[in-house]
Amino acid sequence: MLGTDRAGAVELPGRPRLEMLAKSPAWKGLLQYQNGWHRMEESEVDGESFFLSPDGKKDPRAELEATLLAFVAPVGPEPDSHAICRFPARFELLKQELANDPFWKNLPAPGCKNLENYRTRMQNRKVSVVFTSYHPGSAASVFGHSFLKFSGSNENELFDTGINFSANPTTGNPALYALYGLIGVFPSTFSALPFYYKVREYNDSESRDLWLYELNLTPGQIDRLILHLWELGNTHFRYYYFNENCSYQILRALEGALPEFRFFTSRPIYLIPSESIKALYEVPGLVRDVRYRPSLLKTALAGYQGLSPNQQQEFKQQATQKTFQSSDPAVLDLLIDAIDLKKDPEFSNEKEKLLQRRAQTEGPGASREVIPPVEERPDLGHRSGRMRLGSEWTRIGQSVRWNHLIQARAAHHDLLDPTEGYPRHLHIDFGRVGLRIQPEANRVLVDELTLVELTALSPHHPLNPGWSYSVNVGFKRSWTPDCLNGLDCPRFALGGGIGKAASFLEKQTLYTLFQFEPAYSSAFFGSKWKLEIGPVAGLIWEWVPGFKSRIEARTRYDFTVSAPWQHSLKLENRIVFRNRFGFDFLLQRDLGNSQTRDSVGLNGLFYF
Amino acid sequence: MKNTQLAALTLALIITLTTTSAHAVKIAGRANTGGYGAAGCGLGSIVFQENNKLQIFAATTNGTFGSQTFGITFGTSNCGGESMLGSKEMVEQYISANQNMLKNEISRGNGETLNGLADLIGANNREQFGNHLKSNYSKIFAKSNQTSAETANNILSVLY
C-alpha cells in the first residue's frame, strides 16, 4: 500500500536501532511470531491484512518499516482504516521505543472512532482466564475449553466481557468437519460476547463448571492486552484442533501483548485446555485468585443435598411419577431444575405449570449455594501425558513368558489416575502408543496404537438419570483362544458400550456396561472379522488420594467361533505420589475354549 | 423501588420499544454449521444459532470494517457494560439471551440473572423488584413461546 516513492520522502529512524527493535521479543510478540517446525520462525496470523509489508509474515524488519511508514501516511477517506487505528499496540510500542525520534514529527491524527468505542466499552479492571470443564457429550469440546474474561466496575459478573477464540466451521458434514478441524481448513477468529452468553451456554445449557483464574496484571498490562486483542480481533488464523486451538491462542494473545510472560518456546505438538491452565502457573505469581461457577447440575445437586429426607422423598416421588403437585418451594425448585437438566421439550408444559405454581408459593426455596469442589480444580491435576514402563508375566496352558512393556500416552486421564484436578468419573485417553519387548523371541512388537478410549460414567442420582458409555478406537493386542499364534492377537477394533453407574459412597464407583466390539485381525483362526458382545461390570475404590483399586469382570460372546464364550477377571491397583510418579500392579485371568491365560504385571508410571 | 426514577426510565423504554420495532435480523458468514459447533475446543458463539439468540445479538450490531469479527461484536454492541445500561437493545438482548433462567428466577423472586435485569432497568431495590415480578409472573409470561420483545414489554408494563 505504500509506494517506494513515498517511502523515500520520509526519513526512517536509524538502521541499527530498527534492526534491534525488529528482533526484540516485544515487536515479534505483537506480530505473533512463533518457532514452528525446524525452529523456523514466522507469524501464526493467517489474515493478509494483518501485515503491512508483503513479507511481514516472515520478516519482522520489513514489517517494522512498513508499519512505521503506514503510521505517518496521510489519513484517507476512512480514518478508521488508518494504521494508527488498526494497530494501536504496535503504535504504543514504537512510540515508546523510538521516543524523541524526529520521525514522529509529522504524525497524522486520524481520530479512531471504532477503536475509541472499543476502548471505552472494554472493561479494564480485571482479567481472568476461564476454564470450561469437560463436555463428554461433544467430541469437539471433550477436553474442555478456555477463554478470557474482562471485568469492569459492575458488580454483577454477568455483564463482564468474554473474549473467545474459536473456529468458524464451513461445513456441516461430520466427517469433513473432523478432518478440516484437524488440518487447518477452518478460519478461526477472536470474538467478544457478554459473559452471560457464556454462562447460559456452559453453566446452564451444557451443564459445565467454570473455573476462573484471575491474573495479576497491572492497569498498564491490561491496557496493552486490550490493544493487542483489537489487532488480533480483526484478522484470522487457521484452526488446528491439536495445537493452534482456543487455549493456545488465548495464551499466545497474552504472550504477544506482554512479552514479560513466556508460556511457549515453540509451537507445541498439542495443547489441551487443562494443560494451558497449568501453564499459567509457570509464571510465578501470575494467578491472583481462583473462583468457581457451578454448572446447573452441581447447583441442583447441592440443592438436593440441602433438602430434608421428607422433601427428598417427595421430590423423588414427583419426579418419577411426573405429577408435579408439590406445594413446597424447595421441591418445586428442584423439579424445575430436573426438567432443565433433561432438556426434553416434551416437558415444557409441565415446566410452565411448575413455574406458575412456584410463583404463587412463598418461601426461600432450594439452596443455590455450591461449595467449590476444590479437588476438581484443573490446575491441581497430574500432567496429562504419561509414560508407563514395566514387565508382564503370562502363562497360557504350559507356556510361560516374560514381556516388557513401554507405553506413552499423549493425554489425558484414566479412572485409576489420581482424581485430583479431574472429574472423578471421566476417562479420556487420546493417543496412546505401546511397545512390547519379547526377550526370549528377541523382538519388539507394537502392542497398541489407541486413537481414543473414553469412558464417561454417570452415577445414578434422582437428578441425573443419564446413561454411562464407553468408546474405543485403535489397534491393540489382546488374547482370544482362537489366535493363530497361540498368543495375543493383534486387532483393529472399534468398540462401544452403554450402561449404568452408581456411586454408593463418594469415593467408590460401581458400573456395568453392555459392550460390543467389531474387530479385524489377520491372525484370527477362521474368519478374520469378529463381533464380540457382552457385559462388563466393575468397582473402582479410592482408598486414599492417589491410591486406587479396580476389580472388573467381563463376559464376551464371539459370534464367529465355535466356542463363543470368553470370560475375564482383572484386579488393578495404582499408587501415585505427588501426582507425578507411581506404579501399578495387575492380576488378570482369561478363560475361553477350555484354555486359561493368567497374567501378572508391574509397571512404573511417570506423568509429564 | 424508586418510583420516579423507574417510571421515567420505563416510559423512555416503552417509547423506544414501540417506535423502533424494525430489526433486520441478518448474520452474514456465520451460518452453515449444521449444528456441529466449531472444531476443537472453541465452540464459541455458534451454539446459540439453534435458538436464534446469536441472531438477535447480531441484529443490534452494524459492521462496516474489514474482516470484522471484532468490529462487529465490539464496535457497536453492548459488551462494555456501564455506558449501555438501560438501553432498549441491551434490555431486550439480555432478556432474550437469559430467557430460561430469568423465567426460573422470576418464579422464585430472586437470583443473579434477575438482579442483572434490575441493574439494567435501574431498579435499586432488588428485593422489591424481584417480589414484584414474581407476583406478576402470569402477566409477564402470558403465552408460551412469546418473543423476548413481548417479554420485555410485559415486564415493563407490570413495573409501571
Side-chain angles (χ1 to χ4, degrees):
Chain A
M1 62 188 279
L2 282 162
T4 42
D5 50 339
R6 191 182 296 156
V10 178
E11 182 112 3
L12 282 169
R15 257 169 201 287
R17 185 76 195 91
L18 290 191
E19 200 74 52
M20 219 164 77
L21 192 52
K23 284 185 192 152
S24 71
W27 176 248
K28 290 199 286 191
L30 289 180
L31 300 183
Q32 289 289 323
Y33 271 61
Q34 176 67 296
N35 294 315
W37 298 107
H38 311 297
R39 304 197 67 78
M40 203 177 72
E41 193 182 40
E42 62 171 36
S43 173
E44 288 176 330
V45 174
D46 295 302
E48 279 177 20
S49 63
F50 185 75
F51 304 103
L52 295 167
S53 155
D55 303 321
K57 193 172 164 73
K58 290 183 173 160
D59 185 347
R61 164 80 190 277
E63 185 63 17
L64 176 62
E65 289 184 7
T67 303
L68 284 168
L69 291 175
F71 284 158
V72 295
V75 180
E78 280 185 56
D80 278 310
S81 58
H82 191 272
I84 290 178
C85 303
R86 290 167 59 203
F87 300 104
R90 295 187 198 179
F91 185 61
E92 293 295 323
L93 174 77
L94 297 182
K95 249 184 15 190
Q96 191 193 330
E97 290 293 325
L98 303 168
N100 305 321
D101 196 287
F103 171 78
W104 300 106
K105 71 175 183 280
N106 293 321
L107 198 62
C112 311
K113 237 175 74 195
N114 285 349
L115 173 64
E116 284 315 310
N117 226 343
Y118 161 76
R119 288 186 78 169
T120 46
R121 296 227 176 108
M122 192 68 190
Q123 290 133 312
N124 58 4
R125 297 262 173 105
K126 285 193 273 182
V127 179
S128 307
V129 176
V130 185
F131 175 77
T132 311
S133 68
Y134 311 90
H135 187 44
S138 147
S141 46
V142 66
F143 288 113
H145 173 56
S146 66
F147 61 96
L148 286 172
K149 185 177 78 108
F150 285 76
S151 320
S153 55
N154 200 313
E155 65 181 82
N156 194 325
E157 170 172 70
L158 292 178
F159 297 111
D160 287 358
T161 300
I163 301 286
N164 195 64
F165 181 85
S166 65
N168 306 315
T170 49
T171 174
N173 177 318
L176 283 181
Y177 170 79
L179 178 70
Y180 287 0
L182 293 176
I183 63 172
V185 172
F186 297 140
S188 49
T189 45
F190 284 91
S191 61
L193 279 176
F195 186 56
Y196 55 74
Y197 278 96
K198 301 274 152 206
V199 169
R200 301 286 91 101
E201 176 184 359
Y202 298 131
N203 275 168
D204 300 358
S205 166
E206 297 178 350
S207 202
R208 297 159 73 178
D209 292 341
L210 297 180
W211 289 96
L212 301 96
Y213 291 82
E214 191 192 317
L215 304 182
N216 193 4
L217 301 181
T218 63
Q221 286 175 320
I222 293 178
D223 208 43
R224 271 150 71 197
L225 180 59
I226 287 174
L227 293 182
H228 185 45
L229 281 170
W230 174 257
E231 299 174 344
L232 297 179
N234 285 300
T235 186
H236 71 267
F237 298 76
R238 283 153 68 117
Y239 188 87
Y240 294 88
Y241 180 83
F242 284 114
N243 55 8
E244 290 187 59
N245 58 26
C246 60
S247 296
Y248 176 71
Q249 297 295 8
I250 292 299
L251 292 188
R252 289 286 294 156
L254 283 167
E255 268 190 350
L258 310 167
E260 54 269 43
F261 303 142
R262 236 29 222 147
F263 302 110
F264 307 101
T265 49
S266 64
R267 183 159 57 240
I269 299 167
Y270 64 95
L271 178 74
I272 60 174
S274 60
E275 294 299 315
S276 81
I277 297 299
K278 289 170 199 158
L280 295 175
Y281 283 86
E282 281 165 27
V283 178
L286 179 58
V287 176
R288 175 155 57 193
D289 188 27
V290 184
R291 283 184 42 246
Y292 169 74
R293 268 192 86 94
S295 61
L296 179 61
L297 177 62
K298 291 264 173 63
T299 306
L301 288 173
Y304 182 84
Q305 223 54 45
L307 298 183
S308 71
N310 281 344
Q311 287 174 311
Q312 291 187 349
Q313 198 53 41
E314 190 185 354
F315 167 77
K316 277 193 265 187
Q317 212 166 27
Q318 302 213 7
T320 41
Q321 294 169 0
K322 303 187 173 60
T323 46
F324 308 141
Q325 293 294 320
S326 179
S327 55
D328 184 324
V331 173
L332 287 171
D333 283 347
L334 282 170
L335 289 168
I336 291 165
D337 288 342
I339 290 180
D340 279 349
L341 283 166
K342 258 198 167 63
K343 284 182 274 189
D344 188 345
E346 206 184 299
F347 289 101
S348 60
N349 282 337
E350 276 77 5
K351 191 186 162 193
E352 194 51 55
K353 281 182 212 146
L354 277 169
L355 287 169
Q356 283 173 12
R357 188 177 264 274
R358 179 68 179 95
Q360 289 155 13
T361 314
E362 293 304 323
S367 161
R368 319 298 292 174
E369 293 296 312
V370 182
I371 300 165
V374 183
E375 67 283 1
E376 288 182 29
R377 251 175 66 173
D379 62 288
L380 299 178
H382 62 77
R383 298 298 301 268
S384 69
R386 192 185 68 192
M387 282 297 294
R388 194 159 172 244
L389 304 171
S391 294
E392 184 191 56
W393 172 90
T394 43
R395 187 179 65 191
I396 304 172
Q398 296 307 311
S399 122
V400 175
R401 281 164 195 277
W402 276 101
N403 286 328
H404 303 303
L405 297 168
I406 303 175
Q407 184 199 65
R409 172 182 80 186
H412 159 258
H413 175 79
D414 72 32
L415 294 175
L416 288 185
D417 287 331
T419 306
E420 188 177 31
Y422 290 85
R424 180 172 290 276
H425 303 292
L426 183 61
H427 156 204
I428 314 163
D429 269 11
F430 199 97
R432 213 173 57 209
V433 180
L435 295 177
R436 181 184 297 211
I437 302 160
Q438 296 184 316
E440 298 139 38
N442 207 5
R443 63 179 172 177
V444 179
L445 301 170
V446 176
D447 189 55
E448 69 166 323
L449 289 169
T450 298
L451 182 63
V452 64
E453 197 175 81
L454 184 151
T455 309
L457 300 179
S458 178
H460 184 81
H461 187 280
L463 278 161
N464 186 25
W467 293 92
S468 298
Y469 66 94
S470 70
V471 176
N472 64 285
V473 183
F475 165 88
K476 64 185 170 188
R477 284 175 197 273
S478 66
W479 182 77
T480 49
D482 62 326
C483 250
L484 279 176
N485 57 9
L487 296 166
D488 293 353
C489 256
R491 62 159 74 182
F492 292 95
L494 171 72
I498 185 154
K500 283 283 179 186
S503 193
F504 51 94
L505 293 166
E506 197 194 332
K507 294 180 174 177
Q508 289 74 27
T509 311
L510 194 62
Y511 60 90
T512 176
L513 299 168
F514 188 84
Q515 293 185 316
F516 56 93
E517 185 171 297
Y520 171 84
S521 172
S522 57
F524 291 148
F525 185 76
S527 168
K528 304 300 170 203
W529 287 91
K530 60 170 74 224
L531 174 63
E532 297 170 344
I533 62 167
V536 57
L539 171 66
I540 299 165
W541 197 291
E542 185 183 46
W543 306 99
V544 290
F547 177 21
K548 290 186 186 178
S549 298
R550 163 161 65 184
I551 184 156
E552 189 180 86
R554 179 196 297 265
T555 289
R556 276 173 291 184
Y557 184 88
D558 182 346
F559 285 95
T560 56
V561 292
S562 53
W565 291 101
Q566 291 163 42
H567 311 283
S568 76
L569 183 66
K570 174 164 84 164
L571 172 69
E572 298 164 86
N573 303 286
R574 183 173 305 166
I575 300 180
V576 178
F577 303 98
R578 307 172 72 173
N579 288 343
R580 198 67 180 172
F581 54 92
F583 55 89
D584 60 19
F585 175 65
L586 289 93
L587 288 172
Q588 184 166 347
R589 166 164 284 194
D590 294 272
L591 300 166
N593 195 16
S594 65
Q595 291 184 51
T596 305
R597 175 189 187 273
D598 287 314
S599 66
V600 178
L602 184 66
N603 301 284
L605 298 158
F606 177 69
Y607 298 85
F608 64 91
Chain B
M1 63 203 82
K2 286 207 173 165
N3 279 325
T4 45
Q5 189 191 357
L6 189 58
L9 248 171
T10 43
L11 189 65
L13 281 168
I14 287 169
I15 289 165
T16 43
L17 268 175
T18 44
T19 49
T20 57
S21 56
H23 277 332
V25 176
K26 274 184 196 153
I27 149 159
R30 277 277 196 159
N32 304 328
T33 59
Y36 293 101
C41 51
L43 268 168
S45 43
I46 288 122
V47 165
F48 291 98
Q49 290 193 336
E50 58 196 61
N51 43 16
N52 276 350
K53 284 172 184 160
L54 185 67
Q55 274 87 339
I56 288 161
F57 178 65
T60 65
T61 68
N62 176 22
T64 50
F65 187 76
S67 67
Q68 267 322 319
T69 311
F70 242 46
I72 287 176
T73 42
F74 264 135
T76 52
S77 78
N78 309 309
C79 299
E82 295 97 325
S83 62
M84 295 295 281
L85 288 188
S87 83
K88 174 207 140 248
E89 281 90 355
M90 184 133 193
V91 173
E92 213 180 291
Q93 179 194 309
Y94 183 80
I95 290 175
S96 165
N98 295 289
Q99 199 142 29
N100 189 58
M101 188 51 77
L102 210 47
K103 216 169 163 178
N104 292 357
E105 292 186 6
I106 288 175
S107 85
R108 290 200 291 268
N110 59 59
E112 181 192 34
T113 314
L114 193 52
N115 287 343
L117 184 64
D119 291 352
L120 274 186
I121 292 182
N124 292 337
N125 189 328
R126 289 169 162 189
E127 198 183 327
Q128 258 183 28
F129 178 79
N131 287 336
H132 188 66
L133 292 195
K134 175 185 166 89
S135 57
N136 283 287
Y137 177 91
S138 53
K139 282 188 201 152
I140 296 169
F141 300 103
K143 52 178 190 174
S144 54
N145 299 328
Q146 68 190 20
T147 64
S148 54
E150 286 171 314
T151 307
N153 267 330
N154 293 347
I155 288 177
L156 296 172
S157 67
V158 304
L159 286 173
Y160 213 6

